[in-house]
């Protein structure tokens, strides 16, 4: 499997899950400004023009972070990162994947930027915080007395949620009134796979704070 990623972008979630899974994989860095990668035009890989994209072993290209995470989790086997299809845990995990994709991920994106980018001005940051805070607060309440989203056990959606808490750091939003999320973020950062991938990806691709 080959993951197309940009440092610190949502592709961080499948990158971490691949590392956790111990499946064989390689990565290709994408330049989101130029839409290029080592092999040329990135839009030929993903015409949607964003990361993540995952090229499977049979050459298919999968897109959409939540779907890629489920695919990796299924490939990893043993229901370790995604529960058995149709179990109540499975549906809870699917609900979280979808919630993070539609209610959090996209709300972190500023309408004032070209492309799907995090906000970069004081005004746009304010607006984004206003939109993400109530949704983050909901997650925070669900994490009360829980280390991870479903059954207190690490699974695929936790990697996606970690991208969101990582963005809280990146945007200097902090964790005021989000104590459980802060605990989650700290816990995730202790996982060896998370440490390895954060080190490998290095500085985020786009955060040039112009405020
Ligand atoms: N719906 C997509 C959104 C992916 C997305 O927004 N990716 C951002 C990085 S987090 C990106 O590549 N933006 C580049 C651009 O739009 O130019 C998903 O869930 O995977």
């Amino acid at each position: 499997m080959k993951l197309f990623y940009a440092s610190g972008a949502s592709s961080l979630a499948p990158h971490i899950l691949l590392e956790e899974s111990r499946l064989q994989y390689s990565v290709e860095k994408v330049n989101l400004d130029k839409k290029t990668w080592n092999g040329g035009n990135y839009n030929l890989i993903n015409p949607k023009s964003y990361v993540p994209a995952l090229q499977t072993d049979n050459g298919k290209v999968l897109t959409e972070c939540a779907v890629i995470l489920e695919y990796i989790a299924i490939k990893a086997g043993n229901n370790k990162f995604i529960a058995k299809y149709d179990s109540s845990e499975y549906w809870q995990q699917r609900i979280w994947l979808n919630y993070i994709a539609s209610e959090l991920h996209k709300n972190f994106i500023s309408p004032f930027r070209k492309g799907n980018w995090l906000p970069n001005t004081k005004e746009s940051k304010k607006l984004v915080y206003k939109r993400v805070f109530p949704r983050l607060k909901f997650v925070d309440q669900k994490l009360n007395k829980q280390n991870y989203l479903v059954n207190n056990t690490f699974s695929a959606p936790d990697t996606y949620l970690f991208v969101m808490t990582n963005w809280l750091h990146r945007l200097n939003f902090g964790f005021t009134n989000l104590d459980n999320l802060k605990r989650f973020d700290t816990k995730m950062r202790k996982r060896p796979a998370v440490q390895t991938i954060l080190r490998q990806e290095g500085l985020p691709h786009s955060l040039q704070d112009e405020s």
Side-chain angles (χ1 to χ4, degrees), residues 28-95:
E28 290 290 348
K29 199 172 193 155
V30 176
N31 181 322
L32 288 176
D33 283 313
K34 299 183 178 147
K35 307 294 181 196
T36 54
W37 67 292
N38 245 339
N41 182 354
Y42 178 63
N43 290 334
L44 296 177
I45 303 287
N46 181 9
K48 291 171 176 167
S49 214
Y50 51 58
V51 292
L54 184 79
Q55 192 160 46
T56 66
D57 290 341
N58 59 19
K60 270 199 300 270
V61 174
L62 300 180
T63 59
E64 302 306 313
C65 197
V67 174
I68 290 172
L69 287 171
E70 182 164 357
Y71 180 86
I72 295 167
I74 289 169
K75 285 286 166 196
N78 297 324
N79 299 116
K80 195 169 170 204
F81 302 121
I82 193 123
K84 190 171 169 288
Y85 174 71
D86 216 13
S87 60
S88 70
E89 288 86 358
Y90 171 83
W91 290 115
Q92 283 179 55
Q93 288 160 344
R94 287 293 302 120
I95 289 167

Side-chain angles (χ1 to χ4, degrees), residues 11-160:
S11 45
L12 178 62
H15 202 174
I16 289 170
L17 196 60
L18 281 167
E19 187 68 19
E20 291 272 358
S21 74
R22 296 167 190 269
L23 290 165
Q24 278 209 341
Y25 73 96
S26 61
V27 291
E28 290 290 348
K29 199 172 193 155
V30 176
N31 181 322
L32 288 176
D33 283 313
K34 299 183 178 147
K35 307 294 181 196
T36 54
W37 67 292
N38 245 339
N41 182 354
Y42 178 63
N43 290 334
L44 296 177
I45 303 287
N46 181 9
K48 291 171 176 167
S49 214
Y50 51 58
V51 292
L54 184 79
Q55 192 160 46
T56 66
D57 290 341
N58 59 19
K60 270 199 300 270
V61 174
L62 300 180
T63 59
E64 302 306 313
C65 197
V67 174
I68 290 172
L69 287 171
E70 182 164 357
Y71 180 86
I72 295 167
I74 289 169
K75 285 286 166 196
N78 297 324
N79 299 116
K80 195 169 170 204
F81 302 121
I82 193 123
K84 190 171 169 288
Y85 174 71
D86 216 13
S87 60
S88 70
E89 288 86 358
Y90 171 83
W91 290 115
Q92 283 179 55
Q93 288 160 344
R94 287 293 302 120
I95 289 167
W96 278 122
L97 287 169
N98 211 69
Y99 182 81
I100 298 165
S102 57
E103 298 298 327
L104 282 169
H105 184 173
K106 296 321 279 185
N107 275 315
F108 260 103
I109 307 298
S110 167
F112 300 120
R113 297 201 76 170
K114 200 160 66 85
N116 289 311
W117 305 96
L118 294 182
N120 65 337
T121 64
K122 231 183 194 153
E123 271 314 294
S124 59
K125 274 189 200 176
K126 245 182 165 165
L127 192 86
V128 163
Y129 191 71
K130 224 172 141 179
R131 287 188 310 195
V132 294
F133 182 79
R135 292 162 170 95
L136 288 169
K137 189 69 200 165
F138 172 79
V139 186
D140 188 77
Q141 282 157 357
K142 292 289 175 188
L143 280 173
N144 188 25
K145 297 187 185 141
Q146 288 234 133
N147 285 323
Y148 297 110
L149 286 168
V150 178
N151 274 359
N152 210 11
T153 306
F154 173 82
S155 68
D158 294 303
T159 63
Y160 206 178

